[in-house]
Amino acid sequence: MFTGIVEELGEVTAVEQLDDASRFRLRGPLVTEGAKHGDSIAVNGVCLTVVETGDGEFTADVMAETLKRSGLGALTTGSRVNLERPMALGGRLGGHIVQGHVDGTGTIVERTPSEHWEIVKVSLPPELTRYVVEKGSITVDGVSLTVVEAAADYFTISLIPTTLALTTLGHKQPGDPVNLEVDVIAKYVERLLGDRSESAPGPLPGGLPGQDPLAGSRDTGQDPLAEDRTAGQDPR
């Protein structure tokens, strides 16, 4: 699991095209320190498995499915990438829960600079719209960000100088693709509520669906025979 707090701005040093995949060599002295075969490193928000390490670089194989669903297929030698190691158990959750499983790609639509920050508008695939809300979290190229405005086909984010200087988002221009990962909690909630709706109980005799016929009496705390007993009359 990652948190969307980029540790290092790395660089693609080589791309090898395989039959049904690509092998990337990336430079990242910080994230490769202590890394070994089989470890995970997020590259622009995509969780990749380390194959080899050495001299501050590491290699990772990217299968065709990942190339198709993310922006990694557009990377070339010299491309800058956001790098992050998985969060250690007990570490600080500086951003939000990020799986490194990209849900889709968006495109930088426009950038509006300000004195101390920059507003960036990003296109949003229609199938992800329902998971994006104002002041909610979204991962853009591996960076945990807060949504400023959420519309049907786009959202905006506000980038501080640190994010502009230390991540790829400071260099992306209108038309450039970005990887998007929505908040996984929203997807789980949707699935759970959907399953609950499908498994709702059917109607019971004498009541609404799933309702006990005596529920009205029980809700008020009143015994249905209380009136007769109060009058001193034996209901039998």
Side-chain angles (χ1 to χ4, degrees):
M1 188 186 76
F2 306 90
T3 70
I5 303 300
V6 174
E7 295 185 274
E8 186 173 17
L9 188 58
E11 181 183 352
V12 177
T13 58
V15 180
E16 179 184 356
Q17 301 297 335
L18 307 177
D19 290 339
D20 57 351
S22 293
R23 174 165 292 181
F24 289 88
R25 175 168 286 277
L26 306 108
R27 179 161 184 79
L30 176 62
V31 298
T32 55
E33 183 179 352
K36 59 185 183 302
H37 173 79
D39 286 350
S40 296
I41 295 177
V43 179
N44 280 357
V46 181
C47 179
L48 298 180
T49 301
V50 173
V51 177
E52 299 175 340
T53 62
D55 298 325
E57 298 185 344
F58 70 97
T59 59
D61 292 334
V62 183
M63 60 183 180
E65 177 70 8
T66 304
L67 294 171
K68 176 183 176 181
R69 290 184 174 271
S70 73
L72 295 188
L75 296 179
T76 60
T77 300
S79 295
R80 287 170 285 197
V81 289
N82 297 322
L83 302 176
E84 182 190 357
R85 293 169 291 187
M87 184 184 76
L89 188 63
R92 293 180 181 274
L93 187 61
H96 71 282
I97 297 175
V98 177
Q99 294 182 296
H101 303 161
V102 171
D103 293 302
T105 59
T107 303
I108 302 295
V109 177
E110 64 181 18
R111 306 181 68 109
T112 306
S114 184
E115 183 178 358
H116 300 295
W117 63 85
E118 190 166 334
I119 299 295
V120 179
K121 183 177 180 180
V122 184
S123 66
L124 184 63
E127 64 272 17
L128 300 182
T129 299
R130 62 186 182 275
Y131 303 117
V132 181
V133 297
E134 290 186 9
K135 302 303 181 286
S137 296
I138 190 168
T139 309
V140 181
D141 261 3
V143 184
S144 173
L145 296 166
T146 300
V147 176
V148 176
E149 179 186 2
D153 58 354
Y154 73 88
F155 65 95
T156 62
I157 48 180
S158 181
L159 305 181
I160 62 174
T162 298
T163 304
L164 293 170
L166 301 181
T167 75
T168 60
L169 299 183
H171 310 282
K172 295 275 186 175
Q173 297 301 315
D176 288 343
V178 288
N179 295 323
L180 303 177
E181 180 183 333
V182 297
D183 192 343
V184 66
I185 296 177
K187 293 191 290 183
Y188 277 124
V189 169
E190 179 186 59
R191 180 62 181 268
L192 288 170
L193 291 178
D195 290 345
R196 182 178 180 181
S197 175
E198 292 171 4
S199 61
L204 296 174
L208 296 174
Q211 180 180 354
D212 185 334
L214 298 179
S217 301
R218 291 173 181 166
D219 289 344
T220 61
Q222 179 182 358
D223 185 337
L225 301 179
E227 184 177 350
D228 292 331
R229 290 172 182 158
T230 302
Q233 178 183 354
D234 187 345
R236 294 173 295 176

